[in-house]
């Protein structure tokens, strides 16, 4: 790949998703674009970049930017975090709720495993107040391809054997003739998938009791990370909690958003009123 | 160090699985069918057993049922590891006392995930 090609595609990623691409990650760029590039009949990324220069195509550019984002995901990818949400964060929110309805946002959900894992874990609750609460899970991603997989709810032999016990697999999935596994209707019901770019305002999604934002902000440039974190945190209800992955920190990114005193690795808004502003 | 017995009539599968399990800090031993496995368990009960289904002499399911009736035979954590991946086989294995079920083909991540599910690591 020529340097100009790398620079042009890296610049495209920055503009569309805020993603930072170091020159040392050129191999990652090639790997993530191989499917699109092949589908469109380009022999190399240089050809693809040449075509974009000759005929700018915002829709294709957006697709490329989406394909370049990280897809790291898996069922029960962060088991401890899910447990903290199900045993601490959501029950606390329910106590404060007047309606008995709670909303969760999985931001940057990739192919949907995180949202379905939460739905699955919640379905296992019995005899708790949370078991009878109405919990809506909104799961967003920038990639239409990922969202299509997430909505289809079918996963491969290798995906369903990582993170899921055989009991959970048998109870919640059906094996298709193709050898793929399809998630049950009961677990699909609480989850709604929507396209959303995290560097844009998220007012249209409404407000949330819990926001999960794992492994997405760390790929962004510092400026874009601050901007995206501000947009996401703005959708947090007063008293709501935002979670990142255990290797990321949100400290200092958004004014008024600070580590929770009650729940480990969670962030809460200060005070009970006023919008959260980007720092 | 925990001990895992790998039961499969394919030497290749035993070798591949053995390497993966050793990487998880287990000591390993091998058996080519259920009867050999049962004899080894009577000598020394392993902590975990990775168990194929279709094997000559004594198949995995018969071995599992026989082992669970032995003295100390309820202790080992048993993970089936087989090409039989339809719901009926899986349900039958669980009913007969298997703790987990790995569908072939497997890789190191699957074995690690399943070992973690049953609390071996």
């Amino acid at each position: 790949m020529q340097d100009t090609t790398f620079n042009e595609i890296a610049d495209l990623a920055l503009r569309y998703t805020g993603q930072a691409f170091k020159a040392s990650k050129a191999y990652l760029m090639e790997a993530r674009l191989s499917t699109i590039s092949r589908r469109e009949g380009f022999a190399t990324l240089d050809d693809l970049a040449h075509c974009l220069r000759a005929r700018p195509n915002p829709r294709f550019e957006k697709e490329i930017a989406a394909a370049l984002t990280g897809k790291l995901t898996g069922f029960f990818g962060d088991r401890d975090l899910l447990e903290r949400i199900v045993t601490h964060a959501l029950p606390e929110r329910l106590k404060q709720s007047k309606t008995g309805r709670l909303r969760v946002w999985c931001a940057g959900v990739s192919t949907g495993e995180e949202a379905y894992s939460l739905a699955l874990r919640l379905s296992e609750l019995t005899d708790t107040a949370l078991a009878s609460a109405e919990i809506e899970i909104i799961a967003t991603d920038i990639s239409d391809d990922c969202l299509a997989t997430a909505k289809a709810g079918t996963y491969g032999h290798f995906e369903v054997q990582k993170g899921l016990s055989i009991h959970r697999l048998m109870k919640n999935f059906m094996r298709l003739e193709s050898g793929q596994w399809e998630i049950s209707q009961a677990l699909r019901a609480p989850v709604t998938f929507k396209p959303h770019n995290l560097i844009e305002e998220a007012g249209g999604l409404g407000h949330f009791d819990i926001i999960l934002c794992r492994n997405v902000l760390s790929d962004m440039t510092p400026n874009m990370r601050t901007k995206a974190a501000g947009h996401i945190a703005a959708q947090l209800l007063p008293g709501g909690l935002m979670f990142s992955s255990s290797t990321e920190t949100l400290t200092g990114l958004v004014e008024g958003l600070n580590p929770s005193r009650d729940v480990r690795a969670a962030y809460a808004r200060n005070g009970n009123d006023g919008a959260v502003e980007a720092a | 160090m925990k001990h895992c017995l790998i039961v499969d009539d394919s030497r290749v599968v035993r070798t591949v699985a053995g390497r993966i399990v050793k990487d998880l800090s287990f000591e390993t031993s091998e058996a080519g069918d259920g009867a050999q496995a049962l004899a080894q368990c009577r000598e020394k009960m392993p902590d975990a057993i990775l168990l194929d289904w279709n094997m000559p002499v004594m198949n995995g399911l018969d071995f599992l049922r026989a082992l669970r009736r032995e003295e100390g035979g309820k202790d080992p954590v048993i993970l089936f590891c087989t090409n039989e991946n339809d719901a009926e086989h899986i349900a039958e294995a669980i009913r007969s006392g298997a703790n987990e079920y790995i569908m072939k083909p497997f890789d190191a991540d699957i074995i690690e995930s399943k070992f973690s599910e049953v609390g071996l690591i």
Side-chain angles (χ1 to χ4, degrees):
Chain A
M1 176 167 44
Q2 294 168 3
D3 286 351
T4 49
T5 300
F6 175 84
N7 291 335
E8 282 170 20
I9 296 178
D11 179 61
L12 182 156
L14 178 63
R15 274 186 287 124
Y16 278 83
T17 64
Q19 192 179 4
F21 251 104
K22 290 195 197 101
S24 61
K25 294 287 174 76
Y27 70 92
L28 201 59
M29 181 182 281
E30 292 193 322
R32 288 180 178 173
L33 293 183
S34 64
T35 306
I36 289 186
S37 180
R38 212 177 312 125
R39 187 196 70 202
E40 298 294 322
F42 296 116
T44 64
L45 288 190
D46 295 326
D47 294 349
L48 182 147
H50 181 80
C51 169
L52 282 177
R53 233 173 288 139
R55 262 193 352 172
N57 177 344
R59 223 177 115 186
F60 188 40
E61 288 179 1
K62 178 179 170 272
E63 195 189 350
I64 290 169
L68 286 169
T69 59
K71 305 286 184 286
L72 180 69
T73 181
F75 290 103
F76 291 86
D78 191 336
R79 208 165 285 239
D80 289 349
L81 185 145
L82 271 189
E83 281 308 306
R84 285 200 299 280
I85 289 175
V86 170
T87 59
H88 283 88
L90 283 171
E92 278 305 312
R93 292 298 296 159
L94 188 63
K95 277 185 210 160
Q96 293 158 27
S97 164
K98 294 189 183 80
T99 59
R101 286 166 55 189
L102 299 172
R103 299 187 83 228
V104 180
W105 178 15
C106 296
V109 77
S110 187
T111 39
E113 285 89 333
E114 178 179 87
Y116 286 136
S117 299
L118 178 59
L120 194 163
R121 185 65 190 85
L122 288 168
S123 76
E124 294 172 342
L125 296 176
T126 50
D127 299 333
T128 66
L130 199 57
S132 47
E134 190 185 323
I135 302 169
E136 184 186 13
I137 303 168
I138 304 293
T140 68
D141 200 84
I142 189 176
S143 163
D144 293 334
D145 277 354
C146 285
L147 287 173
T149 302
K151 282 180 192 165
T154 53
Y155 297 92
H157 172 93
F158 286 89
E159 282 84 47
V160 297
Q161 293 203 81
K162 290 167 197 166
L164 290 172
S165 69
I166 194 66
H167 302 277
R168 279 179 169 161
L169 180 64
M170 296 306 286
K171 185 155 188 283
N172 299 288
F173 290 77
M174 193 178 73
R175 188 168 180 272
L176 305 175
E177 276 193 27
S178 62
Q180 299 266 102
W181 292 79
E182 185 179 49
I183 201 155
S184 71
Q185 204 52 47
L187 295 192
R188 284 164 197 267
V191 187
T192 306
F193 292 100
K194 292 182 178 179
H196 176 68
N197 186 344
L198 292 174
I199 66 172
E200 286 162 11
E201 287 186 12
L205 298 172
H207 288 85
F208 297 92
D209 297 282
I210 304 291
I211 299 177
L212 280 93
C213 180
R214 296 175 55 235
N215 306 318
V216 278
L217 294 176
S218 49
D219 285 342
M220 296 181 179
T221 61
N223 278 346
M224 294 305 245
R225 191 182 307 149
T226 300
K227 187 176 161 188
H231 288 325
I232 298 167
Q235 301 315 117
L236 209 51
L237 285 164
L241 293 171
M242 182 164 161
F243 293 82
S244 61
S245 76
S246 53
T247 56
E248 297 171 301
T249 175
L250 301 173
T251 305
L253 277 183
V254 183
E255 182 135 22
L257 188 75
N258 293 302
S260 160
R261 277 185 295 260
D262 308 318
V263 185
R264 192 160 55 86
Y267 295 81
R269 285 169 55 162
N270 283 355
N272 275 338
D273 50 17
V276 174
E277 301 290 339
Chain B
M1 196 178 245
K2 283 186 182 168
H3 172 212
C4 179
L5 172 63
I6 297 165
V7 191
D8 200 301
D9 57 342
S10 154
R11 196 169 54 82
V12 175
V13 172
R14 291 200 303 269
T15 306
V16 171
R19 280 203 197 118
I20 295 171
V21 173
K22 279 195 189 89
D23 282 346
L24 298 173
S25 298
F26 279 75
E27 181 191 340
T28 64
S29 56
E30 299 179 9
D33 62 57
Q36 283 178 23
L38 201 56
Q40 286 196 32
C41 288
R42 283 173 181 152
E43 290 283 313
K44 184 187 173 221
M45 209 49 92
D47 300 290
I49 303 174
L50 208 55
L51 181 64
D52 188 18
W53 193 299
N54 290 308
M55 292 177 291
V57 189
M58 181 189 253
N59 73 27
L61 192 67
D62 289 343
F63 163 78
L64 169 63
R65 287 172 173 157
L67 180 75
R68 291 307 195 204
R69 284 195 297 268
E70 295 274 320
E71 194 189 331
K74 292 198 168 56
D75 297 338
V77 174
I78 297 188
L79 305 93
F80 257 102
C81 183
T82 167
N83 284 311
E84 306 294 343
N85 50 16
D86 55 277
E88 291 73 32
H89 276 89
I90 297 172
E92 170 115 66
I94 300 297
R95 262 202 312 278
S96 304
N99 302 87
E100 255 298 341
Y101 202 100
I102 296 167
M103 295 173 280
K104 289 177 182 171
F106 59 85
D107 62 12
D109 288 343
I110 289 180
I111 301 254
E112 186 176 349
S113 169
K114 293 296 188 178
F115 269 51
S116 154
E117 286 292 339
V118 291
L120 280 168
I121 52 172

